[in-house]
Amino acid sequence: MKHSAKQLFSISVPRKLLNKKSPVAIFDSGVGGLTVAKRLHSLMPGEKIVYFGDTARVPYGTKSHQIIKQYAIQIASFLVNFNPKIIIIACHSVSSLGKTFLEKKFRDFVFFDVIQPSAEEAVKVTRNKKIGVIGTPATISSNSYPSIIKKIDNNVEVYQKACPLLVPLVEEGWIDSDVADIIVKQYIQELLDSKIDTLVLGCTHYPLLKKTIKKITGPAITLVDASEATSRTVKEFLVSYGLLNSRMPKPPVLYFSDFPEYRRKIMSKFWNEKNLIIKKVNIEGRYNV
Ligand code: DGL
């Protein structure tokens, strides 16, 4: 049976945003959300991407829910100036607080989070119904993954582990290193002992550590990457609403709240594309909430 766009997404898109030429806005606490932006760009090259990474205040995952909400509102206040057709919360630590607080404050805009698509994907791929989730302390303590997964299939068991050291490791570009091997092993061993067959990378920074994680989990465990699941969902949405922009590819514009010169060198580890436009913007002074 074919579902209508409304049945699939239960979203009513404000009329004025029904413009396929508008950009797709994506944000994260730092460079992790680039995994989503990059995947989206390769899946939908005609989309204009405006990215914001809050590198001045990363990490979010070790901060209180109240501060994370406040930061997310500041970021959205900046991004709505681009009149984006959708805003992707490419950060699990923000997504884990639910997107309602953003939807209520920015009523004219459509938000997508990274948790729902990843949870659905995990339930789809698990065979033994034992799913592991790794994420920041904020994401894990919110219990978002277990509650969303249980709503989809109550028979699934979810094992979670907070991994606070992984975000700083990725931000510094220590992706393929012995240190990463040791830390990842230390974090995920207890999930492997629980005989999970699926592991959700519940932080958008973690796909950058995929090689290391795969080395430790071995080939039998399926990794669920939010960038894949979210980009597919977003594409389905844009197609359903006739909002997909298939024009000439535009270089993504990446805004960061801080970008010290030395980061330019490690940027290629996150997104090795010559045409990226990188800008620095101070949102804290301009968008106080
Ligand atoms: N990429 C963010 C996430 O998905 C990292 C949060 C943080 O800055 O700790 O949760």
Side-chain angles (χ1 to χ4, degrees), residues 28-29 32 58-61 90-93 136 139 167 202-205:
D28 179 41
S29 59
V58 67
Y60 279 13
C91 176
H92 288 74
S93 307
T136 66
T139 301
V167 168
C203 170
T204 50
H205 281 72

Side-chain angles (χ1 to χ4, degrees), residues 96 133-146 160-163 202:
S96 71
V133 179
I134 51 173
T136 66
T139 301
I140 300 305
S141 69
S142 74
N143 265 322
S144 299
Y145 267 107
Q160 303 196 91
K161 182 74 184 172
C163 310

Side-chain angles (χ1 to χ4, degrees), residues 51 253-259 264 277-281:
Y51 181 86
V253 185
L254 315 182
Y255 288 90
F256 294 103
S257 49
D258 197 14
F259 201 77
R264 222 168 265 281
I277 300 168
I278 298 175
K279 299 183 181 194
K280 198 176 134 181
V281 60

Side-chain angles (χ1 to χ4, degrees), residues 108-287:
D108 282 344
F109 294 88
V110 177
F111 289 86
F112 274 85
D113 73 286
V114 279
I115 295 187
Q116 185 71 33
S118 313
E120 284 171 11
E121 178 70 10
V123 174
K124 215 184 282 171
V125 299
T126 183
R127 297 162 310 264
N128 72 359
K129 294 190 187 279
K130 289 179 192 285
I131 297 175
V133 179
I134 51 173
T136 66
T139 301
I140 300 305
S141 69
S142 74
N143 265 322
S144 299
Y145 267 107
S147 65
I148 294 176
I149 289 174
K150 290 267 177 205
K151 264 190 212 143
I152 304 170
D153 183 345
N154 199 27
N155 296 317
V156 172
E157 287 171 58
V158 184
Y159 303 88
Q160 303 196 91
K161 182 74 184 172
C163 310
L165 290 178
L166 298 188
V167 168
L169 209 61
V170 171
E171 285 287 325
E172 281 306 312
W174 284 35
I175 295 166
D176 283 317
S177 65
D178 295 346
V179 181
D181 286 5
I182 295 167
I183 298 176
V184 168
K185 185 163 176 24
Q186 180 85 20
Y187 279 140
I188 66 177
Q189 189 54 54
E190 66 185 64
L191 300 180
L192 302 181
D193 294 343
S194 303
K195 305 275 178 267
I196 56 162
D197 74 349
T198 303
L199 179 65
V200 179
L201 309 182
C203 170
T204 50
H205 281 72
Y206 300 172
L208 291 153
L209 290 165
K210 228 184 207 170
K211 233 166 89 189
T212 303
I213 297 172
K214 200 73 203 167
K215 207 166 25 172
I216 289 156
T217 60
I221 293 181
T222 310
L223 302 185
V224 174
D225 177 342
S227 66
E228 302 280 340
T230 308
S231 302
R232 276 201 305 272
T233 305
V234 165
K235 183 168 185 184
E236 214 175 318
F237 170 81
L238 294 178
V239 170
S240 317
Y241 279 87
L243 287 173
L244 191 72
N245 193 350
S246 42
R247 299 216 143 204
M248 279 296 287
K250 282 262 181 337
V253 185
L254 315 182
Y255 288 90
F256 294 103
S257 49
D258 197 14
F259 201 77
E261 214 32 55
Y262 85 98
R263 293 193 70 86
R264 222 168 265 281
K265 265 197 220 133
I266 56 173
M267 194 61 202
S268 60
K269 293 193 181 188
F270 308 125
W271 199 342
N272 196 5
E273 186 182 312
K274 285 191 193 79
N275 291 334
L276 293 175
I277 300 168
I278 298 175
K279 299 183 181 194
K280 198 176 134 181
V281 60
N282 173 11
I283 60 159
E284 203 166 27
R286 286 163 59 187
Y287 300 100

